[in-house]
Amino acid sequence: MEPLHTHISRQYNTELEEIRSRVLQMGGLVEQQIEQAIESLVKGDTALGENVIMHDTQVNKMEVTIDEECNQIIARRQPAAGDLRLVVAVIKTITDLERIGDEAEKIARMAVRLAGEERPKNNYAEIQTLGTQVRQMLHDTLDAFARLDIEAAVRIAREDIKIDQKYDGAMRQLITYMMEDPRTISRVLNVIWAARALERIGDHSCNICEYIIYLVKGKDVRHTSLDQVEREILGKDHR
């Protein structure tokens, strides 16, 4: 990870680095949850899906633990400037990671529900394609968080546009399946919910990219266009 500010108190430095490290550990677990949830759906692996559902409580516990550590740092250290931004960014990031974990659990529940039904000829290709893209986006987001890389954060945030386009395409395809064969309606509706969960994971990853920019530059870029962010934060002009 990129180094933070150095303080006279080594213990304070250790505490700040520890919460960053814990965020990445939580992110790694969530990333694994997504991968296994998609695999359980594609392969019809009920046991794997149940495993994802069971481990969601571990993600929740990590969020509570990190949040408590952040509150203790605020109470004992009274952080200012960049240190305070770090603590705030961590609190916001773990909230989004927990929600990503919830979306992975939803996909796993859909996988368990669909395991006993007839499998489509394309073997849930739309979920595999969208899932691969979403997993990569989260992985890159966590890497940008570790390196405090705002240029990467902006670039990754743009990936959410592609994910939304892929999601819209998948929706059109899935609706076509239902229209052509009403017998598929029950199964396809579950697949639609799984695709929606993946699209939401992309949104949460985009949120984390915004927190990275806030952490490094001290600027809240929520509700700001990416072109504007590049002009004002990175000094790039697309004109």
Side-chain angles (χ1 to χ4, degrees), residues 6 8 42 87 105-106 109 133 146 161 190 207 225:
T6 302
I8 296 174
V42 172
V87 176
E105 183 193 14
K106 287 180 190 176
R109 290 189 183 279
Q133 198 167 350
I161 299 171
N190 282 305
N207 290 345
S225 72

Side-chain angles (χ1 to χ4, degrees), residues 5 79-92 145 211-220:
H5 303 105
D83 295 335
L84 181 58
R85 293 202 304 270
L86 168 65
V87 176
V88 171
V90 165
I91 291 172
K92 289 176 176 290
F145 181 90
Y211 307 148
I212 295 168
I213 296 168
Y214 165 75
L215 168 56
V216 176
K217 290 294 186 178
K219 185 173 179 60
D220 188 342

Side-chain angles (χ1 to χ4, degrees), residues 101-116:
D102 288 344
E103 299 298 342
E105 183 193 14
K106 287 180 190 176
I107 297 169
R109 290 189 183 279
M110 298 302 168
V112 172
R113 195 174 300 168
L114 289 166

